[in-house]
Amino acid sequence: MYKIDSYDFKGKRAIIRVDFNVPLDAEGRVTDDTRIRAAIPTIEKVLEGGGSVILMSHLGRPKKNNDTKFSLAQIIPAIEARLGRKVLFAGDAMGDKAAEMARGLKPGEVMLLENLRFHAEEEGKPRGVADDATDEQKAEAKSAVKTSQKEFVKRLASYADCYINDAFGTAHRAHASTALIADYFPHDKMFGYVMENELRAIDSIMENPRRPFCAVLGGSKVSTKISIIEKLMEKVDSIVLGGGMTYTFEAALGGRIGNSICEPEMFPVALEILRKAKQKGVRIVTSPDALIADAFSADAHTSTAPSNDIPDGWEGVDIGEEGKRVFREHILGCKTILWNGPVGVFEIDKFATGSRAVAEAIAEATDKGAYSLIGGGDSVACINKFGLADRVSYVSTGGGALLEYMEGKELPGVAAIRKS
Ligand code: AMP
């Protein structure tokens, strides 16, 4: 494995797996180019070193080839605007044009392949198998796509002299472009800067955090966060619990939660988490009060209630004023802060003030010297919405990948580069 900083790109064609899965408006214009901006330093490093670049990515979840709604051609203007250079478009990743264009690439040139997920081989999952297909037919389809996947990977690899994985957001998938292709470059594979920075940021807080270390965890459900809560319990001094999942905890403890979101099947898990936290000396901080609404909409009536005494017909949609104060004070006392998941329904402005208070407290703590890492799609959306991304230490580009890496799982995209 090479470090991108020490690799000699002179005269080399680098195939870079980027994460250009960006949001588009109805006209196909990029509405948030964060992921494109993030990839620029890696692309420039190759070009400045005298190499050329072949960019590959997925976009959305197309179910068939050439679905123009998912064509990466749409994002070329956005890449060119950030890169300040022309980007050649190769069309279909498997076409003769792509191969020819890659062969003829001159130092300083950049080309983009069409959406990799136009091919079932990228994910290695069969398509078009009828629901009523027999197990045998399903197994056959699976085996067929695995076979053609080998050709797909070989062809992609044939375009380049070295491989860079810079797509942290898909590193938890064992796909053709995120993991399998690395085998073709045993001596010429490396992480790009996005990946390097992500791994460094996460490793540093998981291995050697400055204390007190607190995790602010929100989001809608306990069920999707159990493994990360359990893992974090081994590392943190406190967990600030917010969002919809708190009501499962309140209800499990016998509280009244009205119509708040709740997973009764998770009651035993919630109680076990509280028991373990006590045993390990991890403080669990919850909001004493909730902002409650009589409907899940922007024009709902709102009021405040204790988090464990919400009247019927009402649901908790955010933390209350007392909760904002408690969370802020706690966060300001910490030296390392990890934030995953909004503490309220932040998509509706009226229910976003708790998440804003958390974001502001984290920014303030960071100003005072704390290290803060924001991860997971919704908390990143929050920090951007409140214009505070520049005032935290690190904003992760990975949602699922970040959580899996923190849980201690080996990510296929990371392992493929690291293994010798
Ligand atoms: P997650 O993907 O699990 O991190 O959850 C994020 C989602 O949780 C966001 O869409 C929020 O709107 C939602 N959420 C946060 N607080 C609540 C709540 N009190 N009730 C319902 N949904 C919530």
Side-chain angles (χ1 to χ4, degrees):
M1 175 189 151
Y2 262 97
K3 286 263 180 214
I4 183 168
D5 271 335
S6 52
Y7 192 83
D8 182 6
F9 289 104
K10 202 163 185 329
K12 298 258 171 72
R13 290 167 304 167
I15 191 158
I16 313 180
R17 176 48 156 108
V18 285
D19 181 2
F20 283 173
N21 183 28
V22 289
L24 302 175
D25 65 15
E27 274 78 48
R29 278 183 303 249
V30 177
T31 54
D32 178 353
D33 74 348
T34 309
R35 287 174 171 167
I36 294 175
R37 269 187 289 134
I40 300 296
T42 297
I43 302 172
E44 275 175 351
K45 171 73 186 164
V46 176
L47 300 176
E48 279 160 16
S52 54
V53 167
I54 300 151
L55 296 169
M56 58 175 174
S57 177
H58 76 284
L59 176 66
R61 294 177 183 276
K63 291 280 173 279
K64 59 178 170 49
N65 201 338
N66 297 330
D67 185 343
T68 50
K69 211 169 82 197
F70 296 103
S71 173
L72 280 171
Q74 302 170 94
I75 74 163
I76 291 176
I79 310 173
E80 289 180 336
R82 286 292 171 191
L83 197 58
R85 298 179 190 243
K86 185 159 178 44
V87 173
L88 308 168
F89 187 59
D92 185 19
M94 289 292 104
D96 290 341
K97 187 173 163 201
E100 211 171 287
M101 194 180 266
R103 255 195 311 276
L105 219 50
K106 293 186 200 63
E109 286 186 338
V110 180
M111 69 178 258
L112 173 69
L113 298 177
E114 182 55 288
N115 192 345
L116 295 172
R117 288 199 190 162
F118 278 177
H119 300 269
E121 287 80 6
E122 165 62 359
E123 295 177 272
K125 280 195 234 140
R127 282 188 188 152
V129 183
D131 287 343
D132 58 358
T134 61
D135 285 350
E136 204 174 297
Q137 285 166 328
K138 283 182 188 158
E140 235 169 66
K142 199 169 172 191
S143 144
V145 78
K146 288 286 174 202
T147 306
S148 54
Q149 188 180 46
K150 292 196 182 93
E151 283 309 307
F152 181 78
V153 177
K154 194 169 161 191
R155 175 121 177 154
L156 286 179
S158 74
Y159 299 160
D161 306 298
C162 59
Y163 167 63
I164 303 177
N165 189 350
D166 213 17
F168 183 68
T170 47
H172 57 320
R173 311 272 183 228
H175 293 167
S177 67
T178 60
L180 307 183
I181 190 173
D183 285 347
Y184 284 87
F185 303 94
H187 306 296
D188 299 278
K189 57 182 179 179
M190 65 211 92
F191 295 125
Y193 291 118
V194 173
M195 276 285 234
E196 275 192 356
N197 292 339
E198 290 279 355
L199 299 176
R200 192 180 309 120
I202 307 167
D203 286 345
S204 79
I205 73 159
M206 294 305 273
E207 279 158 24
N208 202 10
R210 279 195 297 137
R211 299 194 177 273
F213 176 12
C214 119
V216 182
L217 298 177
S220 52
K221 292 178 171 177
V222 181
S223 51
T224 57
K225 302 273 162 105
I226 312 165
S227 358
I228 186 73
I229 296 178
E230 285 185 339
K231 181 73 188 174
L232 284 170
M233 214 126 67
E234 312 284 329
K235 308 272 178 184
V236 299
D237 300 292
S238 60
I239 296 180
V240 174
L241 270 186
M245 69 171 160
T246 40
Y247 303 107
T248 297
F249 283 89
E250 297 291 3
L253 290 167
R256 257 202 335 153
I257 58 160
N259 297 352
S260 307
I261 186 171
C262 182
E263 295 170 285
E265 69 284 6
M266 286 288 129
F267 286 174
V269 173
L271 294 175
E272 179 60 13
I273 288 172
L274 296 177
R275 193 192 62 76
K276 267 198 202 150
K278 203 166 181 185
Q279 186 195 11
K280 289 182 190 298
V282 173
R283 200 172 142 202
I284 303 279
V285 183
T286 53
S287 172
D289 57 348
L291 178 76
I292 57 173
D294 61 359
F296 199 80
S297 71
D299 50 13
H301 297 107
T302 57
S303 184
T304 308
S307 300
N308 60 359
D309 194 13
I310 298 173
D312 289 342
W314 294 77
E315 62 189 293
V317 287
D318 196 2
I319 55 173
E321 290 306 315
E322 188 58 14
K324 286 182 203 169
R325 198 187 55 72
V326 170
F327 282 14
R328 179 171 180 278
E329 243 168 54
H330 186 82
I331 289 168
L332 285 178
C334 294
K335 287 274 175 286
T336 303
I337 304 144
L338 163 74
W339 183 24
N340 174 269
V343 297
V345 186
F346 80 104
E347 296 92 337
I348 298 175
D349 283 348
K350 251 167 70 170
F351 309 152
T353 62
S355 297
R356 178 187 284 274
V358 164
E360 282 170 353
I362 295 175
E364 214 177 316
T366 314
D367 288 344
K368 293 195 174 118
Y371 182 86
S372 52
L373 191 153
I374 317 300
D378 281 321
S379 1
V380 174
C382 267
I383 209 89
N384 286 334
K385 175 172 171 149
F386 307 136
L388 293 168
D390 293 340
R391 284 183 54 206
V392 295
S393 312
Y394 193 75
V395 179
S396 172
T397 55
L402 173 84
L403 293 185
E404 287 193 20
Y405 191 70
M406 282 189 173
E407 283 163 24
K409 290 189 189 150
E410 182 170 77
L411 308 186
V414 173
I417 297 285
R418 282 186 178 157
K419 82 172 179 211
S420 47

